[in-house]
Amino acid sequence: TTRIVTVTMNPAIDLACTVPGFAAGAVNRVAEYQSDAAGKGVNIAGLLRRFGLPVAVTGFLGTENARIFEKRFSDLGVADEFVRVPGETRIGIKVLDPESRSTTDINFPGLAPDAGHMDRLAETVERLSGEAEIVVIAGSLPVGVAPDAVGRLVQVVKAQGAKAVVDTSGPALACAVDAAPWLVKPNDDELAELVGRPMESLDDLVAEARRMNAAGIATVAVSLGARGAVFVEDGRALLSRPPEVEAVSTVGAGDAMIGGLVAGMALGLPLEERVRKATALAAATVMRAGPALHDLNTAKVLESRIEITNLQVGG
Ligand code: ATP
Ligand code: MG
Ligand code: MG
């Protein structure tokens, strides 16, 4: 049986090209390139498979260039439940110039699913939620999909008795929070946007996370980049700090943190251990180029170096 489902409404094909001496308005030659089937829910599914957990993936996928995703899903051993939409899944080109150490991003427009596709996705999520323990909804929304789409899916998941985990931003996050999912993980900027003002201190941030916890979100994680993350659950608040690591690429740090928290939930671990695992996995991901970990060893070694402190109410 499927224990975990990830939903990616706006996946992407990442095409990373190395172009030494890249110049606009000139002929540029690609020295090396790599294309990957990506998207937050897809990355999270990959990490969950490293823990041997049964996973199904869904969301929207363009019919014209679905092959690279289908190959990744079969390599990962995840059930492909993506709703197919006519057209192409968006491509993101990253031009890396090792000489100037610059990165140029060229982002294609994505798919435009219609109301019928959205209904099919909601039906798929409903069916999968009936058998699943946890459903992770991650990433941005494609053009034309209303911000309340994530909130609608959270309600579908909850009605089936599964736990909804949400990682998104802006109006979609605001709608999702209103539907009270099991877990949210905004970063500090996303929390400030949600609350409508910048956070003034760690106390201020913890107070906002506690408010969301009291409003029915069981676990509120607020990630703070290299400074670690705050976790509020059952009225408790923990600050988790990673050791200083050499940051090669922060791409996928948030996905690793969600993957670690969700794996910890599926394995029935207590809060401290979930927090330790998630913080270690995120730090290990930052130490590598690209969003994925090769194995769990680096993260395992980092676990003992994560500093976790209890934050007192109001202090
Ligand atoms: P994403 O861009 O993947 O969505 P995010 O902005 O949502 O990321 P961050 O807060 O940047 O999330 O990172 C998530 C977690 O990754 C942090 O809480 C932290 O534990 C870990 N992390 C990020 N940067 C570093 C770093 N330089 N060193 C160690 N750990 C890091
Ligand atoms: Mg960040
Ligand atoms: Mg994020």
Side-chain angles (χ1 to χ4, degrees):
T1 62
T2 300
R3 295 186 60 198
I4 306 172
V5 178
T6 72
V7 184
T8 315
M9 283 196 262
N10 204 14
I13 296 173
D14 285 346
L15 177 56
C17 312
T18 305
V19 184
F22 175 74
V27 174
N28 292 277
R29 289 189 202 285
V30 173
E32 269 173 58
Y33 69 95
Q34 191 184 330
S35 56
D36 292 296
K40 284 184 181 292
V42 176
N43 295 335
I44 293 166
L47 184 54
L48 292 170
R49 289 297 297 143
R50 298 237 178 261
F51 287 92
L53 296 161
V55 179
V57 290
T58 186
F60 298 121
L61 215 50
T63 49
E64 299 304 313
N65 55 359
R67 280 276 308 152
I68 186 171
F69 285 93
E70 288 160 356
K71 179 166 189 316
R72 178 144 189 226
F73 299 155
S74 86
D75 289 348
L76 287 173
V78 300
D80 174 6
E81 295 279 0
F82 268 84
V83 172
R84 300 303 198 266
V85 177
E88 290 188 1
T89 299
R90 70 198 168 117
I91 300 172
I93 302 178
K94 254 189 194 340
V95 180
L96 313 162
D97 178 358
E99 288 172 12
S100 65
R101 292 163 155 265
S102 68
T103 305
T104 307
D105 282 291
I106 302 169
N107 292 331
F108 286 49
L111 294 168
D114 61 25
H117 296 118
M118 190 59 222
D119 288 344
R120 284 199 47 211
L121 179 62
E123 285 160 21
T124 304
V125 169
E126 180 172 37
R127 172 171 52 83
L128 295 172
S129 297
E131 308 168 0
E133 187 184 336
I134 305 164
V135 179
V136 183
I137 305 160
S140 58
L141 296 178
V143 283
V145 173
D148 66 6
V150 181
R152 176 180 169 194
L153 293 182
V154 168
Q155 270 154 359
V156 167
V157 171
K158 288 172 73 175
Q160 294 300 310
K163 293 171 176 170
V165 171
V166 171
D167 182 18
T168 188
S169 57
L173 176 60
C175 292
V177 163
D178 287 341
W182 188 271
L183 183 153
V184 291
K185 190 221 66 70
N187 63 27
D188 43 0
D189 291 336
E190 289 159 350
L191 180 69
E193 191 185 348
L194 181 68
V195 175
R197 62 181 180 84
M199 294 296 105
E200 281 167 16
S201 61
L202 190 62
D203 275 355
D204 188 14
L205 183 151
V206 171
E208 288 299 343
R210 281 188 193 280
R211 257 190 277 284
M212 289 160 73
N213 183 223
I217 303 177
T219 309
V220 180
V222 183
S223 65
L224 309 168
R227 289 174 297 148
V230 165
F231 300 85
V232 174
E233 184 175 297
D234 277 337
R236 295 183 63 198
L238 301 181
L239 172 65
S240 179
R241 271 184 306 207
E244 209 169 295
V245 298
E246 197 194 331
V248 175
S249 158
T250 59
V251 173
D255 301 340
M257 175 154 275
I258 303 262
L261 289 172
V262 169
M265 283 166 70
L267 299 169
L269 303 180
L271 177 63
E272 257 102 343
E273 286 178 47
R274 273 178 274 143
V275 162
R276 187 176 296 284
K277 189 175 283 301
T279 311
L281 285 164
T285 299
V286 165
M287 292 167 71
R288 280 184 38 85
L293 288 175
H294 270 322
D295 57 69
L296 300 177
N297 294 340
T298 314
K300 199 73 211 166
V301 170
L302 285 171
E303 276 190 25
S304 63
R305 298 175 57 204
I306 307 296
E307 249 181 62
I308 300 176
T309 48
N310 265 292
L311 301 170
Q312 304 304 320
V313 181

